[in-house]
């Protein structure tokens, strides 16, 4: 609602109080109680019908409404909650009139309880299967494509899009899996105003959101406003009703139901996995749990792959700068050196030209502004740069005269070289005239109606094209990081005055290379560890909530340990570092004991020891004391009279230890980092009973903190082959009754360029399709659940069409002896084995 006289603009949507709608969706009901879950304060108007209640609801004890046993279970769940934390989930809670899936969370002094009819489902197995499908993907684009296909296969929505946010807040559909008869939204842009700011905030708080029916009835809360005049904050509620404007927006698109999963990278909303359905669709709580777990792993995996991409880009830029630094070591005049080798900087990032303003001289290479424009550019730089890298892809917005040379340079990235003389290295990009396809006119309108003047959602989603001029391709975060590395390197050359500085730079380069290699090594370790955590079986007697909580905690602990290395430039407590590195492996099957005084490490020691301790922890979890039940680890540390810190790492109860047969990067890191970087000592002994490691950190790197007394913590006890070449025009018949497995095989073949794959889920369906489709080769799952594919094999033999069998059985018993010569691949499918077998079959 817009107040009288208030201007109508896009910020009105940002102020709509969508977290306090005063109503819920109709596929469940809600009770709001006091902090002890004792007295009911509010309820949704449908609660009596859904729960079978009679008489008054508000003011009644919860126990009187739903019974003692159910109330006791709910109170136990409430006891473990914190205000603002995600809801606790209970499956199939039994009440007098049936079983319900329940969500409980705290908001200030109110317990909010949501009930939905219980449904059958196996969210753990589904989530673990899906996570396993993306764990080994090492390419961002492939991760996006495969995840959209998997989510659609898992949840059955008509359309699944992955929607990434641009720098200006607009969204772009970067991948899509949809029903065959629907138009494609792939590549379309949607304006930032389609998702107002307060909705983006809720996406960070509540990572999964469903709308069961965009035309459904809103069920009011009773009362909507309590006696203190406050509405109920439903930010974390599953059933929270939806803004009428958003529902109208969906209906204008023809969408009847939707679901979204937040993609959160580095604490920020990177995008959404958005699902649309063209009929009302209620997603049960069990499937929502699986989708939420998948979304969190997807976000973590996406972050890891982006970090890996950043590492590759930085290393490439560093190698180019290293060549320049070697030249600089033999050159006395930096200005002359830069002017003579200006073209070398084009290899650092995509650009159309380079400009150098140094000592009052303008030098260019490639496409750059004319010399007459330099004074205006320098004035602009003086007002915006402030000693840091600065960039814009639309220079004319800051400098109107830039329109005259837009064909030479429309975007600029400036690297300051000095503070006093205002010298700069510039990267330029030409104007890039492009036509953007928007999902409808991005300019919202407003109108007067029964709700007063308000913004209205677009009523047309036909493609709306916009031609963008006076802009270059935007500078990415990676471009800015490379520019910062370049600035640091060139400033370093300017400040080099002695051999001591040169020696220190050499040591810094060695450390940088070790850190880069370790980051790559570490990303792989983290993904492997997460995969092993997900694959652990669920113990007897453990509830769904306990398993989900444990798994999320371990994944978060791994993420925190990774952050300690990345952010370890400020120093910190040795005990905190050990906690971060070892917390993923604390469980009732192993004992971890940490003992020592409150020792504070400086920035260099903290960074080095983070790497060393992570390597020791990972090795202990993979091969040592923490790899089997009953293993134990003791880490103790003390300060000597000289102020040095001595650390003792002792493993016991694990597998028999044998010295390594070769020295890998991890072993070298443990053995050499402390002596090389800290002038300390390190000794590692591979004793039969367990690894023993001793380290001495010199006093200059450590100090005794005043944070408390001594610390004593006790915790409870790629080999691959190259794939064979296959003709991209190959036509393949796939007979497989499991949708997710079929999608997996389609993805494997797609990776080899094969797009013509026809899938059948039964023998009858396969025979029917053979009437109109002649494949070049077929893949037959032997056991189809309700039958076998032997009848299809006989028909393919009659038609002289080559085929292979796939089976998960350990013997050949399901395959008749008449097909003994047919090649067989084992399930689960291995891509290279499948492709190699197909290639051999087609050549025979």
């Amino acid at each position: 609602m817009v107040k009288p006289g208030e201007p109508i603009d896009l910020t009105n949507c940002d102020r709509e109080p969508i977290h306090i709608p005063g109503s819920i969706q109709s596929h469940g009901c809600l009770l709001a109680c006091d902090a002890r879950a004792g007295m009911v304060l509010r309820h949704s108007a449908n609660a009596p019908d859904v729960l079978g209640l009679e008489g008054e609801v508000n003011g009644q004890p919860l126990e009187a409404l739903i019974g003692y046993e159910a109330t006791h279970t709910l109170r136990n769940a409430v006891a473990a909650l914190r205000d603002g934390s995600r809801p606790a989930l209970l499956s199939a809670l039994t009440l007098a009139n049936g079983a319900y899936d329940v969500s409980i969370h705290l908001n200030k002094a109110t317990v909010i309880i949501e009930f939905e009819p219980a449904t059958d489902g196996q969210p753990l197995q589904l989530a673990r299967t899906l996570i396993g499908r993306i764990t080994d993907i090492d390419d961002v684009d492939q991760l996006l494509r495969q995840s959209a296909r998997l989510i659609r296969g898992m949840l059955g929505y008509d359309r699944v899009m992955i929607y990434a946010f641009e720098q200006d807040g607009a969204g772009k559909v970067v991948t899509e899996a949809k029903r065959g008869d629907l138009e494609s939204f792939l590549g379309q842009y949607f304006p930032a105003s389609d998702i107002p700011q307060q909705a983006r905030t809720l996406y960070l708080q509540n990572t999964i959101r469903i709308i069961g029916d965009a035309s459904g009835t809103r069920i009011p809360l009773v009362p909507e406003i309590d006696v203190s005049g406050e509405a109920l904050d439903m930010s974390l509620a599953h059933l929270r009703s939806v803004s009428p404007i958003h529902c109208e927006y969906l209906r204008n698109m023809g969408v009847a139901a939707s679901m979204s999963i937040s993609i959160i990278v580095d604490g920020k909303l990177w995008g959404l996995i958005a699902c649309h359905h063209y009929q009302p669709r209620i997603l049960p709580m069990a499937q929502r749990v699986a989708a939420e777990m998948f979304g969190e792993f997807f976000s973590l995996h996406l972050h890891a792959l982006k970090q890996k991409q950043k590492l590759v880009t930085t290393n490439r830029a560093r190698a180019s700068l290293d060549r320049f630094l070697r030249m600089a070591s033999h050159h006395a005049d930096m200005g002359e050196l830069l002017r003579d080798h200006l073209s070398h900087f084009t290899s650092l990032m995509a650009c159309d030209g380079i400009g150098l303003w140094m000592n009052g001289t303008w030098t260019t290479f490639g496409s750059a502004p004319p010399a007459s424009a330099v004074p205006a550019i320098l004035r602009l730089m003086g007002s915006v740069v402030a000693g840091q890298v600065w960039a814009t892809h639309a220079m004319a917005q800051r400098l109107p005269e830039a329109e005259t040379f837009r064909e030479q340079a429309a975007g600029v990235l400036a690297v300051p070289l000095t503070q006093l003389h205002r010298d700069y290295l510039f990267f330029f990009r030409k104007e890039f005239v492009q036509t953007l396809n928007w999902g409808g006119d991005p300019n919202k309108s407003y109108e007067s109606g029964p709700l007063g003047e308000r913004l209205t959602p677009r009523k047309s989603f036909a493609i709306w094209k916009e031609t963008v001029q006076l802009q270059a391709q935007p500078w990415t975060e990676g471009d800015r990081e490379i520019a910062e590395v370049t600035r640091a390197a060139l400033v370093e050359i300017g400040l080099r005055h002695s051999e001591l500085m040169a020696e220190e730079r050499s040591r810094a380069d060695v450390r940088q290379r070790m850190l880069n290699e370790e980051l790559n090594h570490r990303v792989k370790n983290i993904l492997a560890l997460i995969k092993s955590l997900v694959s652990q079986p669920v113990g007897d007697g453990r509830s769904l909530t306990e398993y989900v909580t444990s798994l999320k905690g371990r994944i978060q602990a791994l993420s925190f340990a990774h952050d300690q290395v990345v952010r370890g430039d400020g120093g910190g407590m040795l005990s905190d570092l050990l906690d971060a590195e070892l917390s993923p492996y604390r469980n009732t099957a192993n004992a971890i004991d940490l003992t020592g005084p409150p020792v504070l490490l400086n920035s260099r020691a903290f960074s080095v020891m983070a790497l060393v301790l992570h390597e020791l922890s990972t090795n202990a979890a993979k091969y040592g004391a923490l790899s089997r039940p009953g293993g134990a680890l003791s880490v103790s540390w003390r300060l000597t009279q000289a102020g040095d810190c001595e650390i003792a790492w002792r493993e016991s109860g694990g597998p028999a230890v044998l010295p390594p047969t070769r020295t890998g990067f991890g072993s070298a890191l443990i053995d050499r980092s402390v002596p090389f970087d800290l002038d300390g000592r390190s000794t590692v002994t591979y004793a039969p009973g367990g690894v023993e490691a001793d380290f001495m950190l010199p006093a200059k790197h450590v100090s005794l903190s005043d944070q408390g007394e001594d610390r004593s913590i006790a915790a409870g006890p790629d080999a691959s082959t190259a794939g064979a070449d296959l003709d991209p025009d190959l036509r393949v018949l796939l007979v497989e009754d499991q949708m997710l497995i079929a999608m997996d095989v389609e993805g494997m073949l797609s990776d080899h360029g094969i797009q013509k794959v026809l899938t059948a889920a039964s023998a009858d369906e396969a025979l029917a399709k053979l009437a109109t489709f002649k494949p070049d080769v077929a893949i037959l799952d032997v056991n189809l659940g309700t039958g076998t594919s032997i009848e299809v094999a006989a028909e393919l033999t009659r038609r002289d069409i080559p085929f292979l069998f796939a089976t998960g059985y350990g013997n050949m018993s399901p395959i008749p002896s008449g097909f003994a010569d047919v090649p067989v691949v084992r399930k689960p499918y291995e891509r290279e084995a499948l492709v190699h077998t197909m290639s051999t079959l087609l050549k025979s």
Side-chain angles (χ1 to χ4, degrees), residues 720-746:
S720 61
T721 57
D725 292 332
L726 292 174
D727 186 350
D729 293 327
L730 203 64
R731 293 170 297 177
V732 179
L733 173 65
L734 171 61
V735 182
E736 170 60 64
D737 64 327
Q738 295 293 323
M739 177 180 290
L740 288 175
I741 296 176
M743 292 171 62
D744 203 6
V745 175
E746 290 172 2

Side-chain angles (χ1 to χ4, degrees), residues 538-544 546-547:
V538 182
D540 293 339
R542 295 188 69 193
S543 70
L544 168 63
E546 289 173 332
Y547 179 85

Side-chain angles (χ1 to χ4, degrees), residues 139-456:
D139 175 78
V140 171
D141 292 337
Q142 185 185 357
L143 175 67
L144 298 176
R145 290 194 304 270
Q146 180 71 349
S147 296
R149 291 200 298 259
L150 286 171
I151 288 291
R152 181 164 185 261
M154 175 180 74
L155 303 180
Y157 279 91
D158 291 331
R159 185 196 305 272
V160 176
M161 302 170 287
I162 295 185
Y163 182 91
F165 293 124
E166 303 282 312
Q167 290 181 352
D168 61 358
K172 180 181 180 182
V173 179
V174 294
T175 192
E176 176 186 56
K178 65 180 181 65
R179 209 175 65 198
D181 59 322
L182 297 177
E183 64 174 329
S184 176
F185 289 164
L186 184 62
Q188 287 189 27
Y189 288 83
F190 291 83
S193 56
D194 278 8
I195 304 179
Q197 188 57 48
Q198 86 281 26
R200 296 175 192 243
T201 300
L202 284 180
Y203 280 127
L204 286 171
Q205 294 177 272
N206 195 346
T207 59
I208 190 161
R209 183 77 172 109
I210 65 163
I211 300 173
D213 186 353
S215 301
T217 303
R218 295 160 62 93
I219 307 298
L221 298 183
V222 181
E224 181 177 342
I225 305 297
D226 66 10
V227 293
S228 64
E230 291 190 2
L232 184 64
D233 188 331
M234 301 172 65
S235 297
L236 298 178
H238 287 243
L239 295 172
R240 171 167 50 85
S241 66
V242 187
S243 161
I245 296 179
H246 186 62
C247 286
E248 185 179 345
Y249 174 92
L250 291 176
R251 292 195 297 270
N252 290 344
M253 295 180 72
V255 175
S258 74
M259 189 271 290
S260 62
I261 305 170
S262 303
I263 304 173
I264 300 173
V265 175
D266 203 19
K268 298 178 181 178
L269 189 62
W270 182 90
L272 298 172
I273 301 176
C275 306
H276 286 174
H277 206 65
Y278 294 87
Q279 296 292 330
R281 180 177 179 80
I282 307 300
L283 192 67
M285 183 180 290
Q287 288 182 295
R288 294 205 299 272
V289 170
E292 184 177 22
M293 292 174 62
F294 176 82
E296 292 190 0
F297 181 84
F298 173 89
S299 296
L300 184 64
H301 194 16
L302 178 64
H303 187 201
L305 293 183
K306 285 186 167 293
Q307 290 291 97
K308 183 178 179 181
Q309 283 183 342
K310 186 184 299 183
L311 176 65
V312 170
T313 301
T314 302
N315 282 344
R316 186 170 60 245
R318 186 71 192 185
S320 180
L321 286 172
D322 281 346
R323 292 192 295 271
F324 187 81
L325 290 172
R326 286 193 292 271
M327 289 187 291
S329 63
H330 305 291
H331 210 291
D333 187 336
M334 179 179 173
E336 181 182 353
L337 176 68
L338 288 171
R339 286 189 289 272
D340 291 346
H341 297 89
L342 202 57
S343 61
H344 289 190
F345 290 94
T346 58
S347 63
L348 296 180
M349 69 182 77
C351 64
D352 297 304
I354 304 284
L356 174 68
W357 175 261
M358 193 165 193
N359 299 327
T361 302
W362 177 240
T363 309
T364 63
F365 175 83
S367 182
S372 60
V374 172
I377 294 175
L378 293 177
R379 286 194 298 273
L380 174 62
M381 295 302 111
S383 66
V384 297
V385 169
Q388 302 296 319
V389 170
W390 183 84
T392 176
H393 67 288
M395 191 166 23
Q397 293 180 4
R398 294 293 193 113
L399 190 69
E401 48 262 61
E403 185 173 349
T404 61
F405 53 83
R406 63 186 183 183
E407 293 183 358
Q408 289 76 37
V412 60
L413 186 151
V415 180
L417 303 180
T418 59
Q419 289 284 358
L420 296 178
H421 303 293
R422 302 286 179 91
D423 294 334
Y424 300 96
L425 177 69
F426 297 100
F427 295 83
F428 294 111
R429 286 178 178 170
K430 296 180 179 180
E431 180 184 33
F432 179 68
V433 179
Q434 58 181 325
T435 300
L436 301 183
N437 290 330
W438 292 87
D441 187 339
N443 300 306
K444 285 191 176 181
S445 62
Y446 69 93
E447 62 184 23
S448 295
L451 298 178
E453 289 186 321
R454 67 176 181 88
L455 285 164
T456 59

